[in-house]
Amino acid sequence: MNFSNKNLLFFFPESPFSKRAGNVLRTYTNLKQLKSLGLNIDLVGVEDYYNSFGDSPQDIDSAIINEVFVLKTKPPKKKLTLEYWKYKIQKKFNKENSNQYLTQYLKDNFTALLAQKKYDYIFINYEFWTDLIRDQDLKGAKTIVDTHDWITLNEFYNNKNLDLGKRFGEEINNLSLYDKVVTISQDEYFIFKSFLGDKVINIPPSFPENFEGSNIEKKYDLIFVGSDNPFNILSINWFVEKVLPLLPKEIKICIIGRICKHVPDHENIEKVFFADDLNIYYHASKIAICPMLKGTGIKIKVVEAMSYGLPVVGTEKAVDGFSDKKNNGCLVSDDEKEFADIIKSLLNNSSDYERQKDEASHFFKNNFSEKKSVELWEKTLNF
């Protein structure tokens, strides 16, 4: 089906074109694939996010996006204006919202966008932005939410005093407002489908196949790519403190991304704070590591590594959301000694290494291909 006469309003708070982290890279990929179906896409972001990351609405791909709107969360600080005092007073009476950026001013600006143009689809990223569409005149637009993660569990990791029943009830209630609920994890798909039925569809992350450079000479034994979110910081610290001392003294490790700010200097570690092209680093590496101790959903970094045919050594969290927890190209353990032993075994045994490499490539082709992903997006929109 061709969607060339269909308009889609796509909300993502930060710039999807920065590709600075796994969730952002996935969002960029989704936009690219949705555009390939012929949709006319307008992008909506939040100014506070753009400013905090140093992003610009000019840095978009005009081949994908028709118009970009970066909305403010509060009116200009001109105390003599009626608008300023209107929102100042409203803030006192509005109920407390855990999403501090989802202000009445932002919602009113979003409403103004809906009034300007008729959209066939409204796409919201993350359940906690649902108030953007609640009680709105959507003019018949179909609504889609990309959950990204099981937000209740994510928030519980950061707040052990969280009222789980209340928060999960709120999450399910928010998701129930949408026509389609997209998950990326098989585990979360089963959870949400149990409550919400057939409106839930699982669309795993996808990447192009990058196997062709696998014969390049290897400069690094291990590679880890990550942003500086709390889960990545916790994970890489565990690896450096607990696992690295158990590995051979000559091992070479490449760590890429903003996570480098939290990695101590070490003779075995090369830190790359930003890489325009990850291809050269993945192709120059033998094994990807994913020592995640917390977090929900599929780990984008694992799927990305597998798209290069790399075997992955990780904790049990590394295979969250996979349809097969065993035969997937990943070897896992939460024990630091076993983690180190798996790495050493793969590096020292070429037949074991090649077997894991083939398994990773096979699992990737069967589960994370771009062709399959586009077909699932088409199915999601065609209702």
Side-chain angles (χ1 to χ4, degrees), residues 40 49 83 105 151 167 181 194 205 210 232 238 292 314 343 360:
N40 306 305
Y49 279 79
E83 184 182 46
Y105 188 73
I151 298 299
R167 182 63 186 94
V181 175
S194 299
N210 294 295
N232 279 337
W238 175 80
M292 304 301 289
I343 291 172

Side-chain angles (χ1 to χ4, degrees), residues 1-8 38-41 120-121:
M1 180 176 176
N2 190 294
F3 296 89
S4 57
N5 61 338
K6 302 289 186 181
N7 297 322
L8 182 148
L39 287 156
N40 306 305
I41 304 174
D120 300 282
Y121 304 99

Side-chain angles (χ1 to χ4, degrees), residues 48-176:
D48 293 48
Y49 279 79
Y50 275 67
N51 288 345
S52 66
F53 288 116
D55 293 332
S56 167
Q58 275 72 51
D59 298 332
I60 64 160
D61 187 343
S62 57
I64 298 175
I65 301 299
N66 289 18
E67 289 192 80
V68 59
F69 306 97
V70 180
L71 305 182
K72 297 179 183 294
T73 57
K74 50 193 172 188
K77 288 185 177 179
K78 294 178 181 175
K79 295 194 176 182
L80 296 179
T81 65
L82 183 61
E83 184 182 46
Y84 175 86
W85 284 107
K86 171 189 168 185
Y87 288 102
K88 188 85 170 169
I89 294 165
Q90 271 184 347
K91 190 176 178 183
K92 288 184 178 296
F93 292 98
N94 285 348
K95 68 175 185 177
E96 191 71 24
N97 193 323
S98 57
N99 182 350
Q100 62 176 318
Y101 300 106
L102 189 47
T103 62
Q104 188 61 48
Y105 188 73
L106 181 78
K107 286 189 274 187
D108 287 350
N109 278 298
F110 191 80
T111 302
L113 281 183
L114 296 178
Q116 288 174 21
K117 186 173 179 180
K118 186 181 186 315
Y119 290 98
D120 300 282
Y121 304 99
I122 296 171
F123 193 119
I124 303 291
N125 285 275
Y126 300 109
E127 158 271 336
F128 46 80
W129 291 97
T130 296
D131 276 1
L132 286 173
I133 64 161
R134 198 189 307 275
D135 302 323
Q136 292 273 31
D137 178 9
L138 304 178
K139 301 177 184 174
K142 301 294 187 184
T143 55
I144 302 161
V145 60
D146 188 338
T147 56
H148 285 261
D149 286 304
W150 182 7
I151 298 299
T152 298
L153 183 55
N154 243 14
E155 291 182 4
F156 176 69
Y157 282 135
N158 293 318
N159 175 18
K160 290 294 189 283
N161 296 318
L162 182 71
D163 186 333
L164 286 171
K166 180 182 177 184
R167 182 63 186 94
F168 186 52
E170 181 183 74
E171 184 170 10
I172 293 297
N173 181 55
N174 284 343
L175 296 178
S176 71

